[in-house]
Amino acid sequence: MINLAALQMPTQGMDPKSLEHYFKTAKAKEAKLILLGEYVLNHFFKELEKMPVNMIKDQSDHHLAMIKELSRTYEMVVVAPIVLVKNRKCYKAVVKVTPKSTHTYYQQILIDYGHWDEAKFFANEIKPLEDPLVFTHEGVRFGVIGGFELHFNHFFDRLNARDVDVLLLPTAATFESHNRWREILKTRAFLHNIYILRANRVGEYLDKSIKWKFYGDSMLVTPTGEVENLLEDKESLMVVTVERKEVREAKRIWGFEKQLKKRY
């Protein structure tokens, strides 16, 4: 059993007070890990397109140092999307920060639509797909992918193969996708009998005459596909409890993996 926190926020400024307030609250509720949504430590992607690269780097460096310090102070694992800048190129990544170390997962599949083309902006390499970031903490097995990667079976096949109990999913979902995302999350959690902890961004971005509203809806979905905890559309913190035995029990009852193992 482990307590986890999902933090639902808009982009944060350079002052650490707001983040520190939530870390302190999460610590008081005995959370051992905290998940941030996409574009919380950096400006939203459409804003990044207009920013000088050195400004993006300064923002990322500052916030990475900040969450490292918060991790040490509150003895908590932090999983947070961040834009890393190398040789003046921007890479979309998720970092896992502990009091003693930092690991980086570079998102492998980026959204590439006309109105939202991260694949064109970021320099993430297109190559054969690899495993998600996987780690164990407090006896629970965690996996991490980028929000858009939820749509691809490869990652769930690998999560199953790596015996993951909880998928940590940072997102920046907007427009009228609220119900679609919720149904996908419930279906993925049920079919693979894993918890999914989703932290979605809140806030707005005005693009000419179009308002992009990030609607929150951060949630914990159980291994049987039920929404157990849910935030609405305001800045907020959610602390939830997950149990490895619930994952084992769901896999035993439904037997999806067992059916596959008979045939491979």
Side-chain angles (χ1 to χ4, degrees):
M1 181 186 299
I2 184 174
N3 288 354
L4 312 174
L7 183 49
Q8 181 171 282
M9 304 182 81
T11 297
Q12 292 303 289
M14 297 299 201
D15 191 329
K17 288 181 181 178
S18 184
L19 276 173
E20 185 161 19
H21 164 74
Y22 288 114
F23 271 73
K24 188 178 295 184
T25 302
K27 179 69 172 180
K29 294 183 177 182
E30 300 183 338
K32 302 295 185 181
L33 179 151
I34 188 164
L35 172 67
L36 278 63
E38 289 188 328
Y39 301 114
V40 170
L41 300 182
N42 293 95
H43 285 81
F44 175 52
F45 159 69
K46 300 294 285 186
E47 296 170 291
L48 294 179
E49 288 183 310
K50 304 169 187 175
M51 288 175 62
V53 173
N54 63 318
M55 189 178 294
I56 298 172
K57 187 176 188 305
D58 288 346
Q59 184 183 54
S60 295
D61 289 349
H62 177 84
H63 280 136
L64 184 56
M66 183 190 301
I67 62 172
K68 286 180 178 180
E69 181 60 30
L70 290 169
S71 175
R72 287 191 292 267
T73 300
Y74 294 98
E75 299 179 311
M76 199 177 301
V77 175
V78 185
V79 175
I82 195 164
V83 176
L84 298 179
V85 179
K86 299 180 181 180
N87 299 320
R88 297 191 60 79
K89 292 182 178 180
C90 296
Y91 296 84
K92 192 177 184 194
V94 183
V95 290
K96 184 205 103 181
V97 176
T98 76
K100 295 183 178 180
S101 65
T102 300
H103 292 87
T104 303
Y105 172 75
Y106 290 92
Q107 189 167 326
Q108 299 180 69
I109 303 179
L110 302 179
I111 193 167
D112 63 350
Y113 303 135
H115 67 293
W116 189 338
D117 196 346
E118 292 183 351
K120 183 178 180 181
F121 177 79
F122 291 110
N124 295 47
E125 184 180 358
I126 297 176
K127 60 182 181 179
L129 293 172
E130 299 175 354
D131 279 10
L133 173 63
V134 174
F135 64 94
T136 301
H137 186 58
E138 300 277 332
V140 176
R141 192 86 159 151
F142 293 92
V144 180
I145 58 176
F148 186 62
E149 293 175 331
L150 176 74
H151 300 92
F152 301 93
N153 292 336
H154 163 83
F155 299 102
F156 287 87
D157 291 342
R158 297 310 303 155
L159 292 170
N160 280 353
R162 301 286 300 275
D163 198 28
V164 165
D165 303 305
V166 183
L167 172 62
L168 302 172
L169 188 75
T171 64
T174 184
F175 297 129
E176 305 301 321
S177 62
H178 180 285
N179 289 332
R180 180 171 66 249
W181 270 92
R182 190 178 288 193
E183 294 306 314
I184 295 171
L185 289 163
K186 291 192 297 182
T187 302
R188 286 293 195 190
F190 172 63
L191 292 179
H192 297 276
N193 298 135
I194 60 172
Y195 286 101
I196 300 181
L197 181 62
R198 183 257 193 121
N200 192 39
R201 187 179 193 269
V202 292
E204 295 181 350
Y205 168 70
L206 186 61
D207 182 14
K208 298 177 182 177
S209 60
I210 301 173
K211 182 185 288 186
W212 300 49
K213 180 176 173 58
F214 300 92
Y215 50 73
D217 209 42
S218 299
M219 67 181 70
L220 176 71
V221 187
T222 70
T224 54
E226 302 295 328
V227 177
E228 190 167 274
N229 295 82
L230 178 69
L231 296 178
E232 296 183 348
D233 61 350
K234 303 293 190 296
E235 178 175 318
S236 191
L237 175 77
M238 174 172 67
V239 177
V240 298
T241 302
V242 301
E243 298 188 58
R244 182 175 173 84
K245 69 178 183 180
E246 294 296 328
V247 176
R248 301 299 103 189
E249 182 66 5
K251 289 182 184 295
R252 184 190 67 78
I253 290 171
W254 292 100
F256 301 142
E257 282 190 15
K258 181 175 69 175
Q259 292 286 359
L260 290 175
K261 286 177 180 177
K262 289 178 181 178
R263 292 160 173 81
Y264 289 101

